Each structure stands twice: as structure tokens, then as C-alpha cells.
Amino acid sequence: MPDADQPTTPGGAPESVHSLPTHTVEIPPQVQMVTLLGPRDELLRTMERAFPQLQIHVRGNEFHLTGPSAEVALAERTIDELLAVIEGGQPLNRDAVERSISMLRAQTTERPADVLTMNIVSSRGRTIRPKTLNQKHYVDAIDTHTVVFGIGPAGTGKTYLAMAKAVQALQAKQVNRIILTRPAVEAGERLGFLPGTLNDKIDPYLRPLYDALHDMVDPESIPRLMAAGTIEVAPLAYMRGRTLNDAFIILDEAQNTSPEQMKMFLTRLGFGSKMVVTGDVTQVDLPDGSRSGLRVVRDILTGVDDIHFSVLSPQDVVRHRLVGAIVDAYGRWDDQQGETHGQQQGGRVQRERRRSQ
């Protein structure tokens, strides 16, 4: 019986890929093939891995695709999308090729090129843009809603993209200031046991916000902007009792807020302001028995006009590919440890039963 993915002849016998017709895709002469194929044909190899049923050959400025018609059509669409990305002025890399193919296979309504060429803010020759369809939907939601919740695992760009939108809004004079806040340590924000001044105690918990800010704003201008109050980075406790007008406000690590703190923060919203709340509900660091404000707020506010919940998944993680490989390896190791522990527990139970008999 032939493999389910292997093409067959009308008589049912397996058909060699060599007997299938070859489709040719001609690349416009103004496109340098190295931009499409990558250094040492790295991007071509990426396509070959993504389309194992195809034979892909490049001669001059032509792709020759041989294989099942559906895969040939998908590969041709991939090439078209990559050309559109190049035309949009963005250099291609392996990640862009893999994400384009993934979006096309998922049959999304939006073109991969529209996602990968959406520029949010540029700084020192670097442009920040969404890299997945869910990230684009998240960025679009920030544009169209006053309060947006970005919920998802680490590495999905929840806070980074929100900060890019904040910088964009400030540059476009849509807001007068940016306010970045986090709960410090835990919901109770008990910092007294830590050594040093209050700033020394708070700084480590706000450092990730400073790091992201330095990617988007000229580092030399940040002290001046902070001194003027144009950019404020502060722990969540500092928001109490304030009304924040004409501001872009980001609450990061919101899973570590209590329901009361979440309500306090959301009611700081003033006229002309926008809020983005980000967090990962699977990484709650609150004391045992404490409820996470991020977990309960969705039940409370779902359906309220002008509030949007964006959910990002592990497929939206955009950190270095080695980070993904490391996380996967640790996941496999944890599973193995769990199985070993379960076997040990099972053996212990059996021994105890034998003793009791």
C-alpha cells in the first residue's frame, strides 16, 4: 500500500516525483537571487525542509518545482510572499521564511507579507514589527481599543510590542507621556526585607522595562525624558490615587497583581489615554491561596465595549531559535523525570501493599 502522502498513478501504483510535471516560477530580473536564496542558499534549504514532497531546483532566476500540485501551489505562493517582503524593504531570514510557510499552511485570511512588513517604530536602523499573525492582531487591537489585555507565555512579544506602540504614539503626539509599571516582588509588594534604598529595591523588578525602552528610544535621551516626566517607570503601588490623562500606560507582569490591584490600576484610566495590560497566567508568583487579578479580570470584563483580550500562544514565541530548542529540551527532560518519578512512586506503593498483606 503506497504511503498516504505519496502521489499515485490512476492505476494505484506509486508515482515517482520525477514523473510529475515541473512548474517554473520566474523571479523578476530586478530581484537579486541572493536576497531570496540567502547566504550559502540558507533560505533555499529552509524551503526544501518545509516542502519535503517537492524537488526544488534553482537555475538562474528561475525556481523549478516538481511534486504534488497542492504543494507546488503552496511553494509558489511562498515565493510570491517572500518577494513581497523583499519589495517592502525588509531583508529575509530563516525565521521569516518559516513563519510565512506556517501562515500559508494555516490558510489565514491575511497575507504573510502584510504581517512581516508592518512597521511599528524604527530606532537606530532597527525596525520593530510583529512576526506572527496573532502578534499583528494584538497590535491592531491596540490601535482600535482603549484597553487591551495581552495574555500569553514568555517570548511572545506582549510587552515589547506594547512598548513599541507606546513609543509610536508618543512620537506621533497622540499622547503626552508613557507610563510603564509592574507589581514589585509580589501582590503585597513587601520590599522591606531587601537591602539598600527604595530605588535599589525596586530597580531589579523594573529593569526589563528599561531594557526594552533602550531598544526603541535613543539611550542618551531617556534620562532627559524621564526627568521631564515624559517617560515614567514605576512600581504599581505608585499608581494608587492617580488619574492618568493623555498617557499610554502599560502594566507588565499583571499575573502578579491581586484582583484589588487590577481594579485599582484600571480605574486610573483618564481622558485621552490608552492602557495595555500584559501577563502570563501560567507564571503566577503570588503566595499560595492568593488569586491573580489577571485570571479573574477576563471573567469580569469580557463583553465590555472598547476592552479587548488578545491571547498569544507558544507558536507566537519569537525569541532566538535556540531558546525554543532549549525550552523543548527541558520540557522533554521534565516529562522523563515525571515518568521516572511516577514509576518510583508506583513501585513504592506496590512494596507498601505487599508489606501490608
Side-chain angles (χ1 to χ4, degrees):
M1 180 176 179
D3 187 87
D5 292 330
Q6 187 174 5
T8 60
T9 62
E15 182 179 15
S16 169
V17 69
H18 298 289
S19 65
L20 291 169
T22 297
H23 181 72
T24 299
V25 179
E26 185 174 351
I27 305 304
Q30 67 270 22
V31 176
Q32 295 184 358
M33 289 300 290
V34 68
T35 62
L36 190 58
L37 303 178
R40 297 182 297 278
D41 291 344
E42 178 189 16
L43 305 184
L44 175 61
R45 302 290 173 256
T46 301
M47 288 188 62
E48 289 174 337
R49 287 191 296 270
F51 294 98
Q53 293 178 268
L54 296 184
Q55 285 194 352
I56 305 175
H57 297 288
V58 177
R59 297 187 184 93
N61 69 329
E62 293 180 343
F63 278 79
H64 300 275
L65 311 172
T66 305
S69 58
E71 289 293 283
V72 168
L74 190 61
E76 183 176 9
R77 287 189 62 196
T78 298
I79 295 170
D80 288 342
E81 292 299 319
L82 298 181
L83 289 172
V85 172
I86 293 172
E87 185 179 350
Q90 180 182 348
L92 288 179
N93 54 35
R94 177 177 166 184
D95 184 71
V97 174
E98 290 175 343
R99 293 190 184 279
S100 295
I101 296 170
S102 176
M103 281 185 260
L104 289 173
R105 287 199 183 279
Q107 298 181 341
T108 58
T109 56
E110 296 180 69
R111 294 183 57 188
D114 292 338
V115 175
L116 297 174
T117 58
M118 178 184 183
N119 298 338
I120 301 176
V121 67
S122 297
S123 175
R124 291 170 290 163
R126 179 181 182 183
T127 300
I128 297 168
R129 54 173 63 90
K131 295 185 177 181
T132 71
L133 186 60
N134 281 341
Q135 285 189 349
K136 182 179 185 298
H137 290 164
Y138 173 51
V139 169
D140 289 341
I142 293 174
D143 283 333
T144 55
H145 294 81
T146 299
V147 178
V148 173
F149 290 83
I151 302 172
T156 52
K158 307 179 299 294
T159 305
Y160 203 76
L161 291 173
M163 291 187 67
K165 292 299 294 181
V167 172
Q168 181 192 51
L170 183 66
Q171 291 176 345
K173 301 189 185 305
Q174 297 169 352
V175 296
N176 294 331
R177 55 182 171 156
I178 297 172
I179 299 175
L180 312 172
T181 185
R182 269 184 156 196
V185 185
E186 58 180 27
E189 296 175 346
R190 292 190 292 268
L191 297 167
F193 68 92
L194 293 174
T197 66
L198 183 60
N199 286 338
D200 292 335
K201 298 173 184 181
I202 290 171
D203 188 69
Y205 302 96
L206 303 178
R207 178 52 52 187
L209 299 177
Y210 285 110
D211 291 342
L213 194 60
H214 275 72
D215 285 349
M216 304 171 196
V217 180
D218 180 9
E220 294 181 358
S221 68
I222 291 177
R224 173 176 53 81
L225 293 171
M226 295 186 71
T230 305
I231 295 177
E232 178 182 350
V233 184
L236 180 59
Y238 285 25
M239 300 299 110
R240 196 174 301 276
R242 302 172 63 182
T243 299
L244 307 173
N245 295 317
D246 299 313
F248 197 116
I249 313 140
I250 298 173
L251 169 59
D252 188 33
E253 297 290 329
Q255 74 273 8
N256 290 330
T257 62
S258 66
E260 294 75 18
Q261 283 179 310
M262 179 64 75
K263 179 181 177 182
M264 179 275 291
F265 172 76
L266 294 173
T267 54
R268 301 308 94 202
L269 180 68
F271 294 106
S273 290
K274 188 179 290 285
M275 278 184 168
V276 180
V277 179
T278 69
D280 178 2
V281 292
T282 69
Q283 298 291 329
V284 177
D285 298 321
L286 298 174
D288 291 341
S290 300
R291 291 187 304 165
S292 166
L294 187 60
R295 284 180 175 168
V296 303
V297 73
R298 194 168 185 180
D299 295 332
I300 298 171
L301 296 182
T302 293
V304 176
D305 185 48
D306 209 17
I307 294 178
H308 179 83
F309 289 85
S310 288
V311 178
L312 299 159
S313 72
Q315 286 68 44
D316 299 302
V317 173
V318 295
R319 287 179 174 171
H320 193 288
R321 68 179 66 257
L322 273 180
V323 174
I326 291 168
V327 170
D328 290 342
Y330 268 92
R332 291 191 297 270
W333 185 83
D334 287 339
D335 291 341
Q336 292 171 358
Q337 296 300 305
E339 292 174 2
T340 302
H341 180 71
Q343 292 169 356
Q344 292 173 345
Q345 288 287 93
R348 186 178 301 112
V349 169
Q350 290 177 357
R351 288 193 298 273
E352 290 175 354
R353 284 178 178 173
R354 285 196 295 269
R355 291 194 194 100
S356 64
Q357 290 175 351

